[in-house]
Amino acid sequence: MRIDIITVLPELLRSPFEASILKRAIEAGHIEVYLHNLRDYSDKPHKQVDDYQFGGGAGMVLMIEPIEKCIENLKSERIYDEVIFLTPDGERLQQKMANQLSMKQNIIMLCGHYKGVDQRVRDQFITKEISIGDYVLSGGELAAAVLSDAIIRLLPGVLNDETSALTDTFQDNLLAPPIYTRPANYKGWKVPEILRSGNLPAIEKWRDEQAYERTAKLRPDLLNEDH
Ligand code: 6GU
């Protein structure tokens, strides 16, 4: 899989891909991630990529021309399954969408900034608009990092068996059960006896019950939702 991210702030997006699981996924060849600085596609004297909005109003708007140049340049090299615009008014990201996107080959992510982008960009080039939640960020970069992480960790081989995505909170509409590591007794705070019993079927049953109880208590909305 390949992800191309178009942004006016590539420096904001580097570190998430240079640490831990995402770094390893890239090094192991499970995923390629490329950052494209929109300014490199500007023909203006000062590499300007934004302008005032027609009709008046505060806030700058990303112009269509450099965005088209960048997208067309990428499209001349390969076919893209999705051209995603990260925007607070997009469809809210949920696990199901991450699962679906993880099965694609090539994806472009365009990060919104300032007031947003010229509507014609959305009309002409964008196939999917995604928000990561009902709050406003100063740009789409952190959202693109979140979306990329949610997708990449699902790719075959990225996680090992122990950290398998199959046991994730949300993957089966349930929160994950409580987990523990050594020591078994810390200052009198003990690990549940069942987890140390070695009785695997009983442990599995306990975990299922705990997952259900936690979900009913903390996120009852998940129990009657289709993710
Ligand atoms: Cl994708 N972009 C911005 N700027 N704010 C957001 C968002 C995206 N998702 C939630 N808030």
Side-chain angles (χ1 to χ4, degrees), residues 137-164:
L137 302 170
S138 54
E141 284 74 16
L142 297 179
V146 166
L147 177 58
S148 298
D149 186 305
I151 293 170
I152 293 169
R153 63 188 294 287
L154 296 171
L155 299 177
V158 170
L159 298 186
N160 54 38
D161 278 351
E162 280 154 66
T163 52
S164 162

Side-chain angles (χ1 to χ4, degrees), residues 60-85:
M60 304 296 277
V61 178
L62 290 177
M63 295 186 288
I64 189 169
E65 191 180 349
I67 294 173
E68 177 181 39
K69 282 213 177 95
C70 186
I71 290 177
E72 291 305 334
N73 185 55
L74 289 168
K75 283 184 175 174
S76 73
E77 299 289 331
R78 65 197 66 75
I79 293 177
Y80 284 90
D81 302 292
E82 299 284 0
V83 182
I84 297 169
F85 180 47

Side-chain angles (χ1 to χ4, degrees), residues 85-90 112-114 130-144:
F85 180 47
L86 280 311
T87 176
D89 57 7
H113 233 266
Y114 313 109
I130 298 179
S131 159
I132 62 163
D134 289 342
Y135 42 83
V136 181
L137 302 170
S138 54
E141 284 74 16
L142 297 179

